[in-house]
Amino acid sequence: MIRVNGLTKDYGARRAIDNLTFDAEQGEIVGFLGPNGAGKTTTMRILTGYMPPTDGTATVAGYDVVEESLEVRRRVGYLPETVPLYNDMTALEYLKFMASLRRIPDTEQRAYESLEAVNLEDRADSFIGTFSKGMRQRVGLAQALIHRPEVLILDEPTIGLDPAQIVEIRNVIREIGKDRTVLLSTHILSEAQHMCDRVLIINKGKIVTEDTPENLQSRLVGSQRVVLRVRGDSDGLNARITKVKGVRTVESKPDGSVEFEFGAGEDARPQVAKAVVQGGYELLEMRPVGMSLEEIFLELTRETSDDIKAS
Amino acid sequence: MRNIWIIAKREFDHYFISPIAYVVAFLILLTTGIIFAINIYYFIQNALQSFGQVPDISPITGAFGFLLVLSIPAVTMRTLADEARMGTLELLLTAPVRDFELVAGKWLGSFLFILTIVAVSLVYPIILNGLVSPGIDQQLVMSSI
């Protein structure tokens, strides 16, 4: 659905994206993850036909983004970073305007449908200028959905939303992602973890790595950390756990819990549990602490800056 | 072509909710109205000595032309700049609309707005026509539109 090959964009002397190559298939939600200024928005702008690349090619739904820009635009729904809204229009008027620009038959019906998709149907006749940030974001999303695009490109779709709305929007996006292609950018990593089938980590205009969120996590985590909590006093617990085969480190936390670490290949949890119970402790909780995507992300982006320094 | 009309219509509608357009329309009509009133007053005062001179709309059209030179930039300067500021330019440039359709639509919308002000100012020749017998120079009115 989306094919990007050697895409490069220069802003004057500064290279915003550098030889970017990736694909996104139909029915796939791809997350674009990177710090600010990594080139996420630039890539999305090129894919939507807003500006041409300096070098390289990109096709969306089989059409070249430069040569067949209008065909691409017809098939893409785009929510830019700054939500493009006319404050002097009502939500319905705005969506009808966008629907008519996209030559949709029965504009009013479709405008209502996309308002329903983002749960704003009861505010259809309110002026956009009176909307909260979350509502504006949702109107923007409704606009991107109105022509039922094959490809949806969303630049930070959940920014400014409250937690309940984030869940809602995630569900909407996941629903769409079942049979269409969604490319979304975010710098909130848990978001990529929740929504995306695949994550592209981009830093300084280059793709650092690309994988499923789960694989990323397991690939980078050499060891597993587990937090353990017992009722009452945990004195002497450390010594017991240390003796268990496979356990590398044990650490008492100030809140009374104990955190231990073992190698990824050797699951020491059953033995630890046994040792704890045999020691007369009442085991309340044992929970893995995954290396969060945040840490992976920092790790990866730091690696690339080191690489650059080294070269 | 349909896109041009859709953009023009939105542009035209937008003028009627933005204060600057009303201010411009008000100033043009106020200035020409004052000139018109003074002009009529002058002619009535001098009716007896005016030796066959007939009032026409040329003082208004002259002022109108001058005012349009000032007001058209005031009205149109924001058409694309505002879109860029609001981020909506990105929306329009990624919608399936050709660049020339966008520009032509914007132009047409502004043109229709100015035409509306001109249409309102037609009230002056109509009043003048009622005051003067056997009527004013209609060709001058037509050509000044």
Side-chain angles (χ1 to χ4, degrees):
Chain A
M1 265 299 170
I2 301 176
R3 307 244 171 284
V4 173
N5 196 0
L7 209 63
T8 301
K9 175 79 188 175
D10 292 334
Y11 291 121
R14 199 176 69 83
R15 181 150 287 191
I17 53 171
D18 190 4
N19 204 9
L20 223 58
T21 301
F22 66 90
D23 286 343
E25 301 303 328
Q26 194 175 352
E28 195 177 30
I29 303 180
V30 176
F32 229 179
L33 211 63
N36 295 329
K40 300 180 299 249
T41 301
T42 304
T43 313
M44 291 185 154
R45 283 182 165 172
I46 294 171
L47 289 177
T48 51
Y50 180 67
M51 56 187 180
T54 310
D55 202 6
T57 56
T59 59
V60 174
Y63 294 96
D64 188 275
V65 292
V66 180
E67 303 294 325
E68 296 150 310
S69 183
L70 281 185
E71 293 298 325
V72 170
R73 294 180 202 187
R74 279 193 192 111
R75 286 162 179 80
V76 171
Y78 178 40
L79 173 65
E81 202 175 4
T82 40
V83 186
L85 300 172
Y86 295 108
N87 291 336
D88 53 274
M89 284 174 134
T90 67
L92 189 64
E93 278 169 3
Y94 171 72
L95 289 175
K96 276 163 74 179
F97 170 64
M98 286 317 293
S100 55
L101 271 186
R102 292 191 174 276
R103 311 263 168 107
I104 292 170
D106 204 2
T107 50
E108 181 134 3
Q109 168 74 17
R110 286 286 272 280
Y112 267 115
E113 274 174 30
S114 46
L115 276 176
E116 270 167 33
V118 295
N119 273 324
L120 269 180
E121 63 273 24
D122 52 332
R123 298 298 297 269
D125 295 318
S126 310
F127 282 99
I128 293 174
T130 65
F131 281 9
S132 71
K133 194 158 192 296
M135 287 160 80
R136 294 172 67 88
Q137 195 76 22
R138 286 189 280 163
V139 178
L141 188 62
Q143 166 276 126
L145 295 174
I146 196 157
H147 54 299
R148 298 178 188 147
E150 293 168 44
V151 176
L152 202 57
I153 296 182
L154 310 170
D155 204 348
E156 315 244 349
T158 55
I159 210 162
L161 301 182
D162 66 41
Q165 291 167 340
I166 289 179
V167 173
E168 258 171 47
I169 293 293
R170 272 184 197 157
N171 290 338
V172 173
I173 293 172
R174 236 182 270 132
E175 196 58 39
I176 299 161
K178 277 182 187 160
D179 52 355
R180 280 167 274 182
T181 313
V182 181
L183 178 67
L184 60 91
S185 79
T186 176
H187 54 242
I188 304 158
L189 299 128
S190 64
E191 190 150 300
Q193 216 162 359
H194 282 110
M195 274 195 283
C196 304
D197 301 317
R198 200 149 52 88
V199 176
L200 303 174
I201 295 184
I202 173 171
N203 189 33
K204 300 203 167 81
K206 288 188 168 128
I207 291 180
V208 181
T209 190
E210 124 172 48
D211 216 328
T212 61
E214 295 77 29
N215 280 355
L216 268 184
Q217 216 153 3
S218 59
R219 213 173 73 190
L220 284 146
V221 180
S223 59
Q224 173 89 57
R225 294 173 82 81
V226 173
V227 165
L228 183 143
R229 197 185 293 275
V230 294
R231 193 189 295 280
D233 226 359
S234 60
D235 288 348
L237 197 59
N238 284 14
R240 272 188 172 273
I241 296 173
T242 318
K243 279 183 209 146
V244 177
K245 187 172 167 283
V247 173
R248 290 181 184 167
T249 58
V250 183
E251 198 184 337
S252 288
K253 294 280 171 187
D255 62 347
S257 63
V258 177
E259 196 174 307
F260 64 94
E261 193 183 337
F262 54 87
E266 35 192 350
D267 195 348
R269 281 175 295 181
Q271 275 70 37
V272 171
K274 217 177 277 171
V276 171
V277 174
Q278 278 168 359
Y281 299 97
E282 285 179 84
L283 183 57
L284 291 180
E285 185 191 9
M286 198 148 105
R287 129 180 90 81
V289 212
M291 186 175 174
S292 68
L293 263 179
E294 261 90 355
E295 290 167 276
I296 298 173
F297 179 71
L298 285 175
E299 193 74 22
L300 283 169
T301 47
R302 197 175 54 225
E303 269 170 31
T304 45
S305 14
D306 289 348
D307 286 351
I308 291 163
K309 265 180 225 149
S311 66
Chain B
M1 286 304 118
R2 224 186 105 212
N3 287 341
I4 297 179
W5 181 241
I6 293 165
I7 292 168
K9 190 175 170 307
R10 132 107 209 131
E11 190 66 22
F12 184 72
D13 291 347
H14 182 78
Y15 278 121
F16 287 94
I17 35 175
S18 75
I20 184 149
Y22 280 106
V23 169
V24 167
F26 173 76
L27 286 179
I28 290 181
L29 293 174
L30 181 75
T31 319
T32 49
I34 291 169
I35 292 169
F36 180 68
I38 291 173
N39 202 37
I40 288 184
Y41 181 74
Y42 171 81
F43 267 101
I44 291 170
Q45 289 287 303
N46 299 293
L48 293 175
Q49 310 100 290
S50 61
F51 306 114
Q53 230 180 324
V54 181
D56 62 27
I57 58 159
S58 56
I60 298 170
T61 50
F64 212 100
F66 176 71
L67 288 169
L68 283 185
V69 167
L70 296 179
S71 57
I72 287 177
V75 169
T76 55
M77 66 184 173
R78 44 148 291 282
T79 46
L80 281 171
D82 239 23
E83 302 271 358
R85 191 173 58 82
M86 303 277 292
T88 45
L89 192 63
E90 195 165 348
L91 182 78
L92 295 174
L93 291 180
T94 54
V97 178
R98 289 186 176 82
D99 291 355
F100 88 85
E101 289 176 326
L102 176 62
V103 175
K106 288 278 179 192
W107 172 81
L108 187 62
S110 305
F111 178 72
L112 290 176
F113 173 70
I114 297 292
L115 215 57
T116 311
I117 300 179
V118 172
V120 173
S121 75
L122 274 178
V123 70
Y124 303 133
I126 291 168
I127 294 171
L128 202 57
N129 200 34
L131 288 177
V132 178
S133 171
I136 55 165
D137 189 352
Q138 302 295 349
Q139 282 165 354
L140 183 63
V141 176
M142 292 310 290
S143 68
S144 58
I145 293 173

